[in-house]
Short mmCIF file of all heavy atoms in Angstrom, two decimals:
data_model
loop_
_atom_site.label_atom_id
_atom_site.label_comp_id
_atom_site.label_asym_id
_atom_site.label_seq_id
_atom_site.Cartn_x
_atom_site.Cartn_y
_atom_site.Cartn_z
N GLN A 33 -0.03 9.70 -5.15
CA GLN A 33 0.34 11.08 -4.87
C GLN A 33 1.00 11.72 -6.09
O GLN A 33 0.73 12.87 -6.43
CB GLN A 33 1.27 11.13 -3.67
CG GLN A 33 0.55 10.89 -2.33
CD GLN A 33 1.50 11.03 -1.17
OE1 GLN A 33 2.62 10.55 -1.21
NE2 GLN A 33 1.05 11.71 -0.13
N ARG A 34 1.87 10.93 -6.76
CA ARG A 34 2.49 11.49 -7.96
C ARG A 34 1.47 11.71 -9.06
O ARG A 34 1.61 12.62 -9.87
CB ARG A 34 3.60 10.55 -8.44
CG ARG A 34 4.82 10.54 -7.52
CD ARG A 34 6.01 9.90 -8.22
NE ARG A 34 5.79 8.49 -8.51
CZ ARG A 34 6.04 7.54 -7.64
NH1 ARG A 34 6.51 7.83 -6.42
NH2 ARG A 34 5.84 6.27 -7.97
N ALA A 35 0.43 10.86 -9.10
CA ALA A 35 -0.58 10.99 -10.15
C ALA A 35 -1.37 12.28 -10.02
O ALA A 35 -2.00 12.73 -10.97
CB ALA A 35 -1.54 9.80 -10.11
N GLN A 36 -1.34 12.92 -8.83
CA GLN A 36 -2.06 14.18 -8.66
C GLN A 36 -1.52 15.25 -9.59
O GLN A 36 -2.22 16.19 -9.95
CB GLN A 36 -1.94 14.66 -7.21
CG GLN A 36 -2.59 13.72 -6.20
CD GLN A 36 -2.37 14.21 -4.79
OE1 GLN A 36 -2.19 15.40 -4.58
NE2 GLN A 36 -2.39 13.31 -3.84
N ARG A 37 -0.24 15.11 -9.97
CA ARG A 37 0.37 16.14 -10.78
C ARG A 37 0.07 15.96 -12.26
O ARG A 37 0.51 16.74 -13.09
CB ARG A 37 1.87 16.14 -10.55
CG ARG A 37 2.24 16.45 -9.09
CD ARG A 37 3.72 16.70 -8.95
NE ARG A 37 4.49 15.48 -9.19
CZ ARG A 37 4.79 14.62 -8.21
NH1 ARG A 37 4.36 14.82 -6.98
NH2 ARG A 37 5.50 13.55 -8.46
N LEU A 38 -0.65 14.91 -12.62
CA LEU A 38 -0.97 14.68 -14.04
C LEU A 38 -1.90 15.76 -14.54
O LEU A 38 -2.84 16.16 -13.87
CB LEU A 38 -1.63 13.30 -14.23
CG LEU A 38 -0.71 12.09 -13.97
CD1 LEU A 38 -1.55 10.83 -14.04
CD2 LEU A 38 0.41 12.06 -14.98
N SER A 39 -1.69 16.21 -15.74
CA SER A 39 -2.58 17.21 -16.34
C SER A 39 -3.77 16.51 -16.95
O SER A 39 -3.64 15.44 -17.53
CB SER A 39 -1.84 17.99 -17.43
OG SER A 39 -0.73 18.67 -16.87
N PRO A 40 -4.95 17.14 -16.89
CA PRO A 40 -6.11 16.52 -17.52
C PRO A 40 -5.91 16.41 -19.01
O PRO A 40 -5.38 17.31 -19.65
CB PRO A 40 -7.25 17.50 -17.17
CG PRO A 40 -6.76 18.27 -15.99
CD PRO A 40 -5.28 18.37 -16.16
N GLY A 41 -6.36 15.28 -19.57
CA GLY A 41 -6.31 15.08 -21.01
C GLY A 41 -7.55 15.59 -21.67
O GLY A 41 -8.28 16.40 -21.14
N PRO A 42 -7.85 15.09 -22.87
CA PRO A 42 -9.07 15.50 -23.57
C PRO A 42 -10.30 15.16 -22.75
O PRO A 42 -10.28 14.29 -21.89
CB PRO A 42 -9.00 14.66 -24.86
CG PRO A 42 -7.55 14.30 -25.01
CD PRO A 42 -7.01 14.18 -23.63
N SER A 43 -11.37 15.84 -23.05
CA SER A 43 -12.60 15.66 -22.28
C SER A 43 -13.08 14.24 -22.36
O SER A 43 -13.41 13.73 -23.42
CB SER A 43 -13.69 16.60 -22.83
OG SER A 43 -14.88 16.42 -22.13
N GLN A 44 -13.08 13.57 -21.20
CA GLN A 44 -13.49 12.18 -21.14
C GLN A 44 -14.36 11.99 -19.91
O GLN A 44 -15.05 12.91 -19.51
CB GLN A 44 -12.25 11.27 -21.11
CG GLN A 44 -11.41 11.40 -22.38
CD GLN A 44 -10.20 10.50 -22.32
OE1 GLN A 44 -10.17 9.51 -21.61
NE2 GLN A 44 -9.18 10.85 -23.09
N THR A 45 -14.32 10.79 -19.32
CA THR A 45 -15.15 10.54 -18.15
C THR A 45 -14.64 11.34 -16.95
O THR A 45 -13.47 11.32 -16.63
CB THR A 45 -15.14 9.05 -17.79
OG1 THR A 45 -15.60 8.33 -18.93
CG2 THR A 45 -16.06 8.77 -16.62
N ILE A 46 -15.54 12.06 -16.29
CA ILE A 46 -15.18 12.92 -15.18
C ILE A 46 -16.06 12.53 -14.00
O ILE A 46 -17.19 12.10 -14.18
CB ILE A 46 -15.40 14.41 -15.56
CG1 ILE A 46 -14.65 14.72 -16.87
CG2 ILE A 46 -14.90 15.33 -14.47
CD1 ILE A 46 -14.99 16.06 -17.45
N TYR A 47 -15.52 12.68 -12.79
CA TYR A 47 -16.24 12.23 -11.62
C TYR A 47 -16.59 13.38 -10.70
O TYR A 47 -16.01 14.46 -10.77
CB TYR A 47 -15.40 11.19 -10.87
CG TYR A 47 -15.17 10.00 -11.73
CD1 TYR A 47 -14.02 9.90 -12.50
CD2 TYR A 47 -16.14 9.01 -11.83
CE1 TYR A 47 -13.84 8.82 -13.33
CE2 TYR A 47 -15.95 7.94 -12.66
CZ TYR A 47 -14.79 7.85 -13.41
OH TYR A 47 -14.61 6.78 -14.23
N LYS A 48 -17.53 13.16 -9.86
CA LYS A 48 -18.14 14.20 -9.06
C LYS A 48 -17.84 14.02 -7.58
O LYS A 48 -18.07 12.96 -7.03
CB LYS A 48 -19.66 14.16 -9.28
CG LYS A 48 -20.42 15.25 -8.55
CD LYS A 48 -21.89 15.16 -8.93
CE LYS A 48 -22.69 16.26 -8.31
NZ LYS A 48 -24.11 16.19 -8.68
N ARG A 49 -17.33 15.08 -6.97
CA ARG A 49 -17.10 15.02 -5.53
C ARG A 49 -18.39 15.33 -4.80
O ARG A 49 -19.14 16.21 -5.18
CB ARG A 49 -16.03 16.04 -5.13
CG ARG A 49 -15.78 16.03 -3.62
CD ARG A 49 -14.51 16.76 -3.26
NE ARG A 49 -14.28 16.73 -1.83
CZ ARG A 49 -13.12 16.99 -1.28
NH1 ARG A 49 -12.08 17.28 -2.04
NH2 ARG A 49 -12.98 16.96 0.02
N VAL A 50 -18.62 14.58 -3.74
CA VAL A 50 -19.87 14.73 -3.01
C VAL A 50 -19.57 15.08 -1.57
O VAL A 50 -18.74 14.46 -0.92
CB VAL A 50 -20.69 13.42 -3.06
CG1 VAL A 50 -21.92 13.56 -2.21
CG2 VAL A 50 -21.07 13.11 -4.49
N GLU A 51 -20.24 16.11 -1.09
CA GLU A 51 -20.05 16.52 0.29
C GLU A 51 -20.94 15.69 1.22
O GLU A 51 -21.90 15.08 0.81
CB GLU A 51 -20.39 18.00 0.43
CG GLU A 51 -19.47 18.91 -0.41
CD GLU A 51 -18.02 18.80 -0.01
OE1 GLU A 51 -17.76 18.60 1.19
OE2 GLU A 51 -17.14 18.91 -0.87
N GLY A 52 -20.61 15.76 2.49
CA GLY A 52 -21.47 15.13 3.48
C GLY A 52 -21.36 13.64 3.54
O GLY A 52 -22.35 12.95 3.74
N THR A 53 -20.16 13.10 3.33
CA THR A 53 -20.01 11.65 3.39
C THR A 53 -19.63 11.15 4.77
O THR A 53 -19.30 10.00 4.94
CB THR A 53 -18.94 11.20 2.38
OG1 THR A 53 -17.72 11.89 2.67
CG2 THR A 53 -19.37 11.47 0.96
N GLN A 54 -19.67 12.06 5.75
CA GLN A 54 -19.36 11.61 7.11
C GLN A 54 -20.40 10.59 7.57
O GLN A 54 -21.58 10.72 7.29
CB GLN A 54 -19.36 12.80 8.06
CG GLN A 54 -18.29 13.85 7.73
CD GLN A 54 -16.91 13.39 8.13
OE1 GLN A 54 -16.81 12.46 8.92
NE2 GLN A 54 -15.87 14.00 7.61
N GLN A 55 -19.94 9.59 8.27
CA GLN A 55 -20.83 8.53 8.72
C GLN A 55 -20.79 8.41 10.23
O GLN A 55 -19.74 8.53 10.83
CB GLN A 55 -20.41 7.18 8.11
CG GLN A 55 -20.35 7.23 6.59
CD GLN A 55 -19.74 5.95 6.06
OE1 GLN A 55 -19.91 4.91 6.67
NE2 GLN A 55 -19.06 6.03 4.95
N GLY A 56 -21.93 8.14 10.78
CA GLY A 56 -21.99 7.90 12.20
C GLY A 56 -21.77 6.45 12.51
O GLY A 56 -21.55 5.63 11.64
N PRO A 57 -21.84 6.08 13.77
CA PRO A 57 -21.65 4.68 14.15
C PRO A 57 -22.71 3.79 13.50
O PRO A 57 -23.84 4.21 13.29
CB PRO A 57 -21.79 4.70 15.68
CG PRO A 57 -21.56 6.12 16.06
CD PRO A 57 -22.06 6.95 14.93
N LEU A 58 -22.33 2.61 13.20
CA LEU A 58 -23.24 1.65 12.61
C LEU A 58 -24.08 1.01 13.70
O LEU A 58 -23.57 0.45 14.66
CB LEU A 58 -22.45 0.56 11.89
CG LEU A 58 -23.26 -0.54 11.21
CD1 LEU A 58 -24.05 0.07 10.05
CD2 LEU A 58 -22.35 -1.64 10.72
N GLU A 59 -25.38 1.12 13.56
CA GLU A 59 -26.25 0.51 14.56
C GLU A 59 -26.20 -1.00 14.42
O GLU A 59 -26.07 -1.55 13.34
CB GLU A 59 -27.69 1.00 14.32
CG GLU A 59 -27.87 2.51 14.51
CD GLU A 59 -27.62 2.95 15.94
OE1 GLU A 59 -27.84 2.13 16.85
OE2 GLU A 59 -27.20 4.09 16.14
N GLU A 60 -26.36 -1.68 15.54
CA GLU A 60 -26.31 -3.13 15.50
C GLU A 60 -27.53 -3.71 14.79
O GLU A 60 -27.47 -4.76 14.19
CB GLU A 60 -26.23 -3.70 16.91
CG GLU A 60 -24.90 -3.41 17.58
CD GLU A 60 -24.73 -4.24 18.82
OE1 GLU A 60 -25.59 -5.06 19.11
OE2 GLU A 60 -23.73 -4.04 19.50
N GLU A 61 -28.63 -3.03 14.85
CA GLU A 61 -29.83 -3.49 14.16
C GLU A 61 -30.10 -2.55 13.00
O GLU A 61 -30.08 -1.33 13.14
CB GLU A 61 -31.03 -3.50 15.11
CG GLU A 61 -30.87 -4.45 16.28
CD GLU A 61 -30.82 -5.88 15.83
OE1 GLU A 61 -31.42 -6.18 14.78
OE2 GLU A 61 -30.17 -6.68 16.50
N GLU A 62 -30.37 -3.10 11.84
CA GLU A 62 -30.65 -2.27 10.68
C GLU A 62 -32.02 -1.62 10.83
O GLU A 62 -32.97 -2.22 11.31
CB GLU A 62 -30.65 -3.12 9.40
CG GLU A 62 -29.29 -3.72 9.09
CD GLU A 62 -29.32 -4.42 7.74
OE1 GLU A 62 -29.97 -3.90 6.82
OE2 GLU A 62 -28.70 -5.46 7.64
N GLU A 63 -32.11 -0.37 10.38
CA GLU A 63 -33.38 0.32 10.43
C GLU A 63 -34.29 -0.18 9.34
O GLU A 63 -33.87 -0.60 8.28
CB GLU A 63 -33.14 1.83 10.24
CG GLU A 63 -32.29 2.44 11.35
CD GLU A 63 -32.08 3.92 11.10
OE1 GLU A 63 -32.63 4.43 10.11
OE2 GLU A 63 -31.38 4.55 11.89
N ASP A 64 -35.58 -0.11 9.61
CA ASP A 64 -36.55 -0.45 8.59
C ASP A 64 -36.58 0.65 7.55
O ASP A 64 -36.63 1.83 7.87
CB ASP A 64 -37.96 -0.61 9.20
CG ASP A 64 -38.02 -1.81 10.12
OD1 ASP A 64 -37.26 -2.76 9.88
OD2 ASP A 64 -38.82 -1.76 11.06
N ARG A 65 -36.56 0.26 6.29
CA ARG A 65 -36.59 1.24 5.21
C ARG A 65 -37.67 0.85 4.21
O ARG A 65 -38.03 -0.30 4.09
CB ARG A 65 -35.23 1.29 4.48
CG ARG A 65 -34.09 1.69 5.40
CD ARG A 65 -32.77 1.64 4.64
NE ARG A 65 -31.66 1.93 5.53
CZ ARG A 65 -31.18 3.14 5.74
NH1 ARG A 65 -31.74 4.17 5.14
NH2 ARG A 65 -30.16 3.34 6.55
N GLU A 66 -38.11 1.85 3.50
CA GLU A 66 -39.10 1.57 2.49
C GLU A 66 -38.44 0.82 1.35
O GLU A 66 -37.27 0.97 1.06
CB GLU A 66 -39.69 2.89 1.96
CG GLU A 66 -40.49 3.65 3.01
CD GLU A 66 -41.10 4.90 2.42
OE1 GLU A 66 -40.95 5.09 1.21
OE2 GLU A 66 -41.71 5.66 3.16
N GLU A 67 -39.23 0.02 0.68
CA GLU A 67 -38.72 -0.74 -0.45
C GLU A 67 -38.20 0.21 -1.50
O GLU A 67 -38.81 1.19 -1.85
CB GLU A 67 -39.83 -1.62 -1.05
CG GLU A 67 -39.35 -2.39 -2.29
CD GLU A 67 -40.42 -3.32 -2.81
OE1 GLU A 67 -41.18 -3.85 -1.98
OE2 GLU A 67 -40.51 -3.48 -4.02
#
Side-chain angles (χ1 to χ4, degrees):
Q33 286 183 317
R34 289 195 295 274
Q36 296 177 26
R37 299 191 292 271
L38 292 174
S39 299
S43 178
Q44 297 180 23
T45 302
I46 307 170
Y47 297 94
K48 183 176 183 180
R49 179 166 181 163
V50 176
E51 298 299 327
T53 57
Q54 297 285 343
Q55 304 172 31
L58 180 67
E59 296 295 331
E60 291 193 4
E61 297 295 331
E62 296 186 38
E63 297 179 3
D64 293 331
R65 299 176 184 270
E66 294 182 4
E67 177 176 326

